[in-house]
Amino acid sequence: MLTLLDSGYRLCDGLTRRELLRAGGLGLLGLSLPDLLKARTVAASSAPAGRSFGKARACILLYLSGGPPQHETWDPKPDAPAEIRGDFRAVPSSVPGLHVGELMPRLGGLAHLCSVLRAVSTADNAHSSSGYWMLTGYPYPRANTECNQPTAGDWPCLGAVVKRLRPGTGALPPAITLPEQMISNANIVAVGQGAGFLGRTADPWLLTCDPSAADFQVPALELPADVPPLRLGGRRSLLHQVNRHLDDIDRSGLPGRYDSQSRQAFDLLRSSRARTAFDLDREPATVRDRYGRHKFGQSVLLARRLVEAGVSLVQVNWPRERGDMNSSSPVWDTHSNNSQRLRTALMPPMDQTCSALLEDLQQRDLLQETLVVWMGEFGRTPRINAGGGRDHWGQVFSVALAGGGVRGGLVHGASDSIGAFPRDGRVLPHDLAATIFHCLGLSPATEIHDPLGRPVAICRGEPMQQLLC
């Protein structure tokens, strides 16, 4: 049977000094002290004692772009016909009664740390629009559409909301995306990754990098050779004067945006703590090997170091391989040769890295305060096509969460006998988003303002109380 654990966590009553200072800063961003008090009151009334509100200090979102298959991961169908179940066996996990695909033995061995959602649904079979809902918590205005261009009116992604509402703890920004931005095969930036109507200053910091490279260094964190540290302060002063002059000329707010971002860039350059967070050479070789010496593995290791250094949300996107732009099955989008792609290029590094992250966080006593989310934009079709692949399928798919206030050893929801539609416990993306916000200490009822200045809740979903400890 499945194991359900309870931590006995209890909400506090009063505002702390840190929250009071935070409220003052939020007033500059359209969220006043009354708004913060209202959000805390709503959260306290909607979340019974012991239900994990604010238990996660940080979140690491592992986004397997392209759409990981539910049948070969968290929801195998061993009794279904061969054209449904595929080429791989279902094997027992560390949770009695829960079987997973045979290609994820390490992650399956840590299932007792996870809450597995087997009936997530967008009913949307397009990467762009389905991914937008998963990454923002709001459905895209035009479902089942691809190659949509991001606009300033888009709903902000999870990282943008966190960046706007959770102030940073130092030089590092509150939200970071790495190692690359998601793009379509048409070389169009995927929607759902930016700040939308919150403005560019709320964009998560995008770090385009390869942490597995021997000469890895993060762009903009190294001083140019002709700028010794003593000259850095002078350049900062000059920049301030230039931007102040531009402000006198143009009151549109654009120079102010660059001033804010430049200040943070200078802080990153001058902060030894920030620079240390990016220094993967400080990790023992055995730890780097355990995560995997590939781009995804070292990116996830970097994400762990960033949350240790104070970043609230790090999204790690599955990176594109060389040649993916001209492939019929790029990233996890296995339209053909599903079995071969999973066996060689996808499942081994995913299983190695994701299990390493959970073990590492647990050994460091960080798992209970770090929410880990394993997801993609949708799943794959139940029936294998003529090319040996699985196509887009948003009707039902799986998501897994661990740490940060969610129960371990829990399976929520179920798909039907062939993994085609929800049977019970259907989960919509806005409820997943609400659960993430809740664990991070943000009530879904917290208000931000749309382009017309109207107050809107950051999320219309409800935290999944059955998942929370």
Side-chain angles (χ1 to χ4, degrees), residues 127-344:
H127 292 290
S128 295
S129 48
S130 188
Y132 180 96
W133 197 0
M134 292 297 292
L135 289 170
T136 69
Y138 274 73
Y140 195 71
R142 300 183 304 280
N144 288 294
T145 57
E146 292 285 19
C147 297
N148 305 305
Q149 296 279 3
T151 73
D154 287 346
W155 193 266
C157 66
L158 302 178
V161 174
V162 168
K163 187 179 179 186
R164 173 56 56 90
L165 298 181
R166 289 191 69 169
T169 58
L172 288 166
I176 292 176
T177 298
L178 60 95
E180 60 191 48
Q181 201 168 33
M182 290 178 292
I183 58 174
S184 69
N185 274 15
N187 205 26
I188 294 174
V189 174
V191 293
Q193 301 181 84
F197 64 72
L198 284 181
R200 296 296 302 276
T201 56
D203 277 339
W205 275 53
L206 173 64
L207 296 178
T208 303
C209 58
D210 183 359
S212 67
D215 59 348
F216 166 64
Q217 62 181 26
V218 177
L221 280 191
E222 294 296 329
L223 283 173
D226 66 336
V227 184
L230 288 177
R231 289 179 57 197
L232 181 60
R235 284 202 174 183
R236 184 174 188 171
S237 176
L238 176 62
L239 181 67
H240 174 73
Q241 295 177 47
V242 171
N243 279 335
R244 186 173 58 183
H245 177 66
L246 288 172
D247 284 341
D248 291 337
I249 298 173
D250 183 358
R251 295 296 180 180
S252 67
L254 186 60
R257 170 206 161 195
Y258 284 115
D259 182 67
S260 173
Q261 293 187 345
S262 298
R263 276 202 312 272
Q264 193 159 31
F266 274 115
D267 288 341
L268 282 167
L269 285 167
R270 298 176 69 163
S271 168
S272 60
R273 184 183 183 193
R275 294 165 66 84
T276 297
F278 290 101
D279 188 359
L280 293 181
D281 287 336
R282 291 175 178 262
E283 293 287 337
T286 53
V287 173
R288 298 194 67 177
D289 291 342
R290 176 66 181 90
Y291 275 83
R293 298 274 185 162
H294 41 76
K295 194 171 184 178
F296 181 67
Q298 297 303 292
S299 295
V300 173
L301 175 56
L302 177 56
R304 191 220 77 204
R305 293 180 62 83
L306 290 171
V307 299
E308 282 184 303
V311 180
S312 293
L313 188 146
V314 182
Q315 178 174 324
V316 182
N317 295 326
W318 188 270
R320 282 181 174 262
E321 302 167 3
R322 187 173 301 173
D324 263 359
M325 294 300 291
N326 299 314
S327 170
S328 61
S329 297
V331 286
W332 288 82
D333 196 20
T334 53
H335 288 287
S336 60
N337 299 319
N338 180 66
S339 294
Q340 180 183 1
R341 286 279 295 156
L342 293 176
R343 189 189 301 276
T344 58

